[in-house]
Amino acid sequence: MAQNIDWSNLGFGYVQTDYRYVSNFKDGAWDEGVLTQDANIVLNECAGVLQYAQTVFEGLKAYRTQDGKIVCFRPDLNADRMVDSAKRLEMPAFPKEKFIEAVKKVVAANADFVPPYGSGATLYLRPYMFGSNPVIGVKPASEYQFRIFCTPVGPYFKGGVKPLTIKVSDFDRAAPNGTGHIKAGLNYAMSLHAIVTAHEEGFDENMYLDSKTRTKVEETGGANFLFVTKDGKVVTPKSSSILPSITRRSLIYVAKEYLGLEVEEREVYFDEVKDFAECGLCGTAAVISPVGKIVDHGKEICLPSGMSDMGPITKKLYETLTGIQMGRIEAPEGWIQVIE
């Protein structure tokens, strides 16, 4: 049954859909996993996740392509990254094949909530896992729950693209040998005070520098940086404490293979930023958000691409990757998972 949803006015928020997937880990093994209509979770008061934040998550999208198919973008990479995250927090890995199967089941069961092609809206999927049994001593839980829910979300850029103004943060996002490279809930909890502070000061986002030397660009609270040099080279920061963004990986491939651009993944020093022509933030929600201005304790760095639109190369990258996702441009082998 088609949903009575005003697709063009959806925000980026939670809309409860009909089905979600649940699988439990107990006695050293994952169970079969089921779809359920119950959106609530009942936990013991001493559950590991509530006491010691033992939780990891992923984010990906399903959408309708130009030819009417419902597809997902590279869910195998989300499965791999979740395995890495789980290992780092001493959680059992959820098997890759089961992960992809669960994604397909949830999307198919909620097909009525997949927005129509051309609406700009998508179905956002949130796979996550947490320690579910009581844990009072500081140690990993022995039982876990893996779940996936989905929610339709509106286009990230409502009313067109507006380049962001970001600030260099005084807070650290991650420790040099910490958990910055995995998608753990605790990393995001740590960034909340910093983002609320940035918003109160009139900025859209934070630029985090490396916490060891505070001379190198890392990422924002939820997206990787992508820079373009004045001679058209794409540069992305390399660091062991930033989250390896699937969108960024895809954009790098698109830059090289589709647009023939030169790409460098390397350490990027903050004092180079003033010399770049364009800057963008890449992530699942927006693909690329252009940055127009970076403020370092009152000193403004204004990107030549300006405050009214995406820079030309950022725009080409954005249009090519969204074209691949929506079926307008042929995708590389294995990137698009057809659901139905």
Side-chain angles (χ1 to χ4, degrees):
M1 184 193 89
Q3 295 299 318
N4 186 20
I5 293 174
D6 181 359
W7 301 112
S8 58
N9 283 313
L10 266 179
F12 199 88
Y14 173 73
V15 174
Q16 190 171 309
T17 52
D18 294 339
Y19 292 95
R20 65 273 314 131
Y21 177 91
V22 184
S23 178
N24 290 291
F25 181 89
K26 193 175 180 176
D27 300 327
W30 289 102
D31 66 13
E32 260 312 285
V34 294
L35 287 174
T36 174
Q37 290 193 282
D38 187 358
N40 296 312
I41 298 169
V42 178
L43 284 174
N44 182 276
E45 62 190 355
C46 193
V49 61
L50 301 177
Q51 305 309 318
Y52 304 121
Q54 210 184 0
T55 178
V56 297
F57 71 98
E58 275 301 325
L60 66 157
K61 286 176 166 182
Y63 30 75
R64 283 185 204 276
T65 55
Q66 196 166 16
D67 57 4
K69 291 192 177 85
I70 296 177
V71 304
C72 260
F73 183 70
R74 309 190 83 179
D76 53 314
L77 296 190
N78 294 94
D80 289 340
R81 190 167 65 180
M82 196 161 191
V83 167
D84 292 341
S85 296
K87 282 179 180 161
R88 182 64 176 79
L89 290 196
E90 287 298 326
M91 301 166 81
F94 193 74
K96 184 172 180 173
E97 293 70 28
K98 272 184 81 117
F99 181 102
I100 295 168
E101 201 48 47
V103 164
K104 287 168 142 178
K105 280 181 177 167
V106 170
V107 175
N110 295 291
D112 290 342
F113 289 93
V114 181
Y117 171 78
S119 64
T122 50
L123 186 72
Y124 182 82
L125 287 111
R126 172 53 59 88
Y128 60 113
M129 190 203 301
F130 53 88
S132 53
N133 66 301
V135 180
I136 195 73
V138 180
K139 62 177 190 287
S142 57
E143 295 175 14
Y144 295 85
Q145 192 167 96
F146 170 88
R147 297 175 75 102
I148 303 179
F149 68 82
C150 61
T151 178
V153 295
Y156 200 80
F157 298 123
K158 266 191 146 63
V161 177
K162 290 184 181 57
L164 309 174
T165 300
I166 65 177
K167 66 170 283 198
V168 177
S169 183
D170 290 323
F171 297 104
D172 290 332
R173 187 191 143 267
N177 299 308
T179 55
H181 62 295
I182 63 163
K183 210 161 171 65
L186 52 91
N187 294 340
Y188 294 80
M190 278 174 62
S191 73
L192 293 175
H193 178 62
I195 192 66
V196 168
T197 305
H199 287 163
E200 282 170 352
E201 293 171 359
F203 299 101
D204 297 300
E205 255 296 357
N206 286 295
M207 171 184 275
Y208 290 106
L209 303 178
D210 74 294
S211 52
K212 200 173 195 172
T213 70
R214 296 195 62 78
T215 59
K216 291 176 258 188
V217 175
E218 292 256 290
E219 61 165 289
T220 69
N224 285 181
F225 278 102
L226 183 144
F227 298 101
V228 181
T229 63
K230 287 180 176 150
D231 58 357
K233 189 187 291 175
V234 175
V235 179
T236 66
K238 194 181 174 109
S239 160
S240 59
S241 55
I242 62 177
L243 187 75
S245 159
I246 292 163
T247 306
R248 190 204 61 192
R249 269 174 72 173
S250 306
L251 286 166
I252 284 171
Y253 183 91
V254 163
K256 284 182 195 160
E257 305 299 328
Y258 282 67
L259 302 177
L261 299 169
E262 203 179 321
V263 177
E264 279 185 355
E265 279 186 84
R266 60 168 173 83
E267 290 185 330
V268 174
Y269 284 86
F270 179 68
D271 58 17
E272 295 177 66
V273 170
K274 65 184 186 314
D275 301 322
F276 289 123
E278 301 173 39
C279 171
L281 307 179
C282 34
T284 303
V287 181
I288 308 182
S289 308
V291 174
K293 190 191 291 181
I294 298 161
V295 182
D296 176 23
H297 300 85
K299 286 203 300 279
E300 291 190 353
I301 298 170
C302 297
L303 276 301
S305 50
M307 291 299 292
S308 58
D309 201 2
M310 283 190 179
I313 289 179
T314 307
K315 193 174 187 131
K316 240 182 241 174
L317 285 166
Y318 175 80
E319 286 171 353
T320 309
L321 188 59
T322 51
I324 288 168
Q325 290 175 334
M326 291 295 172
R328 295 188 293 267
I329 296 171
E330 193 169 341
E333 183 75 29
W335 277 26
I336 303 293
Q337 179 86 53
V338 178
I339 311 290
E340 61 175 42

